Amino acid sequence: MRDAIERADTIVGELDNRPVAGSAYSTAWAARLVHDDGRPVFEQAREWLRTHQHADGSWGSAVPNAYDRLVCTLAAVLTLSEVPGEWAAGAVRAGVDYLREHAADWRDAPGQIIGFEIVAPYLVEQARAAGLLEIDSRTELALLREEKLALVPEGALTSQPTALLYSLEALDDLVSVPDVLKFAAPDGSMSSNPAATAAVWAATKDPAALTYLRDAARSAGDGGLPEIYPIDVFEPAWTIYLLDRAGLKPSGVQQHVERFLRLSGEDGAPLGSSADFPLPDSDCTALVAIVAHSFGYETTPLLEALLPFERDDHFAGLPHERFAPVSGNAHVLEALSQQPHRFAAQIGKTRDFLLDARRESAWWHDKWHFSDHYATAQAVFGLAGATEPGTLAGTWRWLLDGQHPDGSWGAAGGQAEDTAYAVLSLDALAPHHGPVPEDTYRRAHAYLREHLDAPDYAELWIGKSLYTPPTVVRAAVAAAWVISGQADDE
């Protein structure tokens, strides 16, 4: 157990060192930027694109996702089509060949990325205008864009912060960048997003935007730019939450929890993914409430801050969203269950929403994560104490049946992060459905031990592209490693 505590201390000590690894989409937008004399602003971003193209010509996550591969590859070929050199020309040819064959793979595919309805049609039109290729689904994508924009009240883009500003780079046909600069964060970013901020710098040469982009590039540590930066609420909240599920309470945690509470204030303002993120969401607010409660802090103001997100049959994550978040509602359920009598109606609402969202009476999928094991774990954490014994029997069986021979769970032969969430789910379900078979835990423990110190994990979190928050994933893997080791300790 001492090794586990030391490992947890190390993980918490690494918070903010590398919050999000580089991703192809953000990197492509940064690689477009040039000084007045034509020199690239981020030469290393172009090199990152050169070394991260897949053998099939695409860019994107290691675990294939049709939406991610489409927008990442489009963004990369549009950037590299303006870069001199035979390597860039060859990369563009390979990327265009991939797009000709796979541009329609997104139809009916799982795991739609955030902002796809805005970004993909925009990039497709740019590729057509640049003479790179025509895509058959262009009209279909344009309709998706129209449907999404119809959800946003007229004039909202320039009158208030909206989630659409996270995709500002794909909105130049709708809004002028100077008209939304008033929504830039104190750190110079637009919605803590490098691609959107790249659009700000390209249009205005705002030095604060460039400083932000350079800071974001340094944070990724690999030459690329991250999907989102900073995540100074999301990263520590999720990390502490996951470690706590294994009973790990590292030193230094309380300073993070107290900072969350200061950010929220005495009246309990809702929180977003970072201190400067312009839009709060129910997910981060609920997670902070869960963590704060676990460490003995008063959370009533935070719980009350969730109520404005309440809708007729669920809790919204953000304004103007097309789909309600499974994980967000699960965290709201878990948070509000701290005061079951006061919030009985809301608890019943989120419980029913989650049970209705369950697929094949067993598993869940979510808008924020490509892995079904993540969504299922969050749903289980919320529902395990809020449902009658037997309600989640199908989930228990689905988890036990899904383990691979090497002890892992997940796509592409198994992933450490999927395996972690499967183990954490089984642990939460065990009081009603257990015990977990010893062999299940032993095989999982051996697999997780091999991945405790992995330098990188697969990109499974959903933004405008798939991305990885390494410390959060490392916390999940460490927590599951501790729990699955119980079979050897007993």
Side-chain angles (χ1 to χ4, degrees), residues 236-399:
W238 261 253
T239 296
I240 295 165
Y241 172 73
L242 289 164
L243 292 173
D244 192 35
R245 294 211 67 87
L248 299 173
K249 296 182 183 292
S251 58
V253 164
Q254 286 189 308
Q255 65 180 356
H256 292 285
V257 177
E258 289 172 359
R259 175 177 167 271
F260 299 153
L261 296 177
R262 288 195 300 272
L263 288 173
S264 181
E266 292 183 4
D267 294 333
L271 299 170
S273 59
S274 71
D276 290 334
F277 197 77
L279 290 174
D281 64 80
S282 60
D283 206 359
C284 288
T285 305
L287 236 293
V288 167
I290 295 166
V291 167
H293 179 73
S294 179
F295 284 84
Y297 291 89
E298 168 59 38
T299 60
T300 297
L302 278 168
L303 300 181
E304 292 174 343
L306 292 169
L307 298 181
F309 295 96
E310 186 175 4
R311 302 294 183 264
D312 290 344
D313 62 356
H314 67 279
F315 275 67
L318 290 163
H320 315 312
E321 62 188 2
R322 292 180 66 204
F323 307 108
V326 165
S327 59
N329 277 270
H331 294 146
V332 168
L333 171 59
E334 188 175 357
L336 294 181
S337 294
Q338 296 169 20
Q339 298 185 23
H341 297 296
R342 180 176 183 183
F343 297 110
Q346 291 82 8
I347 289 169
K349 179 180 295 187
T350 50
R351 181 187 61 236
D352 292 345
F353 169 81
L354 291 170
L355 292 175
D356 288 344
R358 184 170 48 167
R359 305 186 183 191
E360 299 176 344
S361 298
W363 54 277
W364 285 263
H365 187 77
D366 189 37
K367 64 188 289 183
W368 296 120
H369 203 286
F370 190 37
S371 167
D372 297 333
H373 292 97
Y374 173 81
T376 298
Q378 311 318 303
V380 164
F381 300 157
L383 288 168
T387 53
E388 294 295 322
T391 304
L392 302 178
T395 303
W396 174 261
R397 178 49 51 195
W398 178 78
L399 289 163

Side-chain angles (χ1 to χ4, degrees), residues 446-486:
Y447 177 87
L448 290 165
R449 184 172 58 243
E450 294 176 0
H451 294 81
L452 279 171
D453 299 311
D456 289 295
Y457 297 100
E459 307 94 328
L460 295 173
W461 290 75
I462 295 176
K464 284 183 293 187
S465 61
L466 297 191
Y467 69 98
T468 303
T471 305
V472 173
V473 178
R474 192 164 287 112
V477 172
W481 172 70
V482 170
I483 289 170
S484 60
Q486 294 170 355

Side-chain angles (χ1 to χ4, degrees), residues 156-158 160-171 175-177 179-184 190-193 195-197 200 278-279 464:
L157 274 174
T158 57
Q160 60 184 294
T162 70
L164 281 177
L165 293 179
Y166 194 76
S167 303
L168 180 62
E169 73 280 4
L171 296 175
V175 65
S176 170
V177 169
D179 289 341
V180 296
L181 274 182
K182 58 192 171 188
F183 303 127
M190 183 60 67
S191 300
S192 301
N193 183 255
T197 309
V200 170
L279 290 174
K464 284 183 293 187

